Amino acid sequence: MNEFRFGAHAPARRTLLHLSDTHLLDGARLGGRYDTVANLELTLARIRAMQPHPDAIIVTGDLTELGEPASYRRLRGMLEPVAEDIGAALIWVAGNHDERPALREHLLDRTATQEPVTSVHDLGGLRVIALDSTVPGWHHGELDAAQLAWLKAELATPAPLGTILALHHPPLPSHIPFFDILELRDQPALAAAIAGSDVRAILAGHLHYSTSGTFQGIPVSVASATCYTMDLALPDDRVNGMDAGQSFHLVHVWDDTITHAVVPVASAETADTFTPEWYAKVSAMSAEERLDYFSRKR
């Protein structure tokens, strides 16, 4: 298909698919209500059908609901074939519902220990660093001194296209009562570790709704969940989970900016305005004719 570009930007240098909070529970419904496997299958079907394909799939935590080995194996069996088929790297991030030993052994083929689940990925010059903000036995988030020192050392050498951090607990305020109890603690320590670095964006999950903000001037993007979501239009004392509105993010990386777009899992038939015949017609136009065709009000 021909590409038409009249604006300031060429196609993005890299495209990432950011999804979060699968909370996979194999063989049962979460809370007796949410079919986490079926909801993830719908999400993966949407991802398979996407064009063009992303360079990486990043899953920012709460991969399973209970940290069970069987759930990690099921999750791996669902996502790895999709990533392989579309040619995307697959980047896992631990969340507060995950258990490090089982995650490391059954998802990553690593030794089953309580060591933080961290990784560094080079996506053709774009560096993605997965952090582990989980605290074994607790639901709040924290990055200890050792992990922050490791992060600072990794960031000492800039990457050609910069760095994106991925972690579960976002360094942002929550809009849901009592969720601040579960936030990322000691955020000034993270700010000190990334100060003056090439970090361009931070990806996170945990909240079950899409939101964005800044942390020390760095854009933070929180993807919603695939299992269930939150309805922030309700009064504070009624905000709760709903089996609707699941989505993921597409992260487009240019040299001078990064965008984060929400993509709904639910899809519908689209209008037939931009058909292959329409593209063929516009392709045959001269540059001047295209400019007139697109710019003039009719």
Side-chain angles (χ1 to χ4, degrees), residues 76-133:
R76 184 177 187 174
M78 294 176 72
L79 264 80
E80 282 188 351
V82 174
E84 183 176 353
D85 289 348
I86 67 175
L90 184 54
I91 301 173
W92 302 104
V93 176
N96 53 284
H97 276 263
D98 292 304
E99 296 292 337
R100 286 176 177 173
L103 190 162
R104 292 171 65 90
E105 179 179 359
H106 297 279
L107 199 61
L108 303 176
D109 293 328
R110 298 185 191 176
T111 304
T113 69
Q114 285 288 1
E115 291 296 308
V117 180
T118 59
S119 58
V120 181
H121 307 264
D122 179 7
L123 304 177
L126 176 68
R127 178 169 54 193
V128 176
I129 299 180
L131 300 174
D132 188 343
S133 58

Side-chain angles (χ1 to χ4, degrees), residues 241-263:
M242 62 177 184
D243 197 4
Q246 286 88 346
S247 64
F248 53 87
H249 285 185
L250 282 179
V251 182
H252 291 93
V253 180
W254 284 269
D255 291 334
D256 61 342
T257 192
I258 298 177
T259 62
H260 307 263
V262 178
V263 180

Side-chain angles (χ1 to χ4, degrees), residues 24 29 35-44 74 78 226:
L24 203 73
R29 286 179 177 263
D35 190 336
T36 60
V37 173
N39 286 348
L40 181 55
E41 286 174 340
L42 288 173
T43 303
L44 295 179
R74 181 71 180 272
M78 294 176 72
T226 69

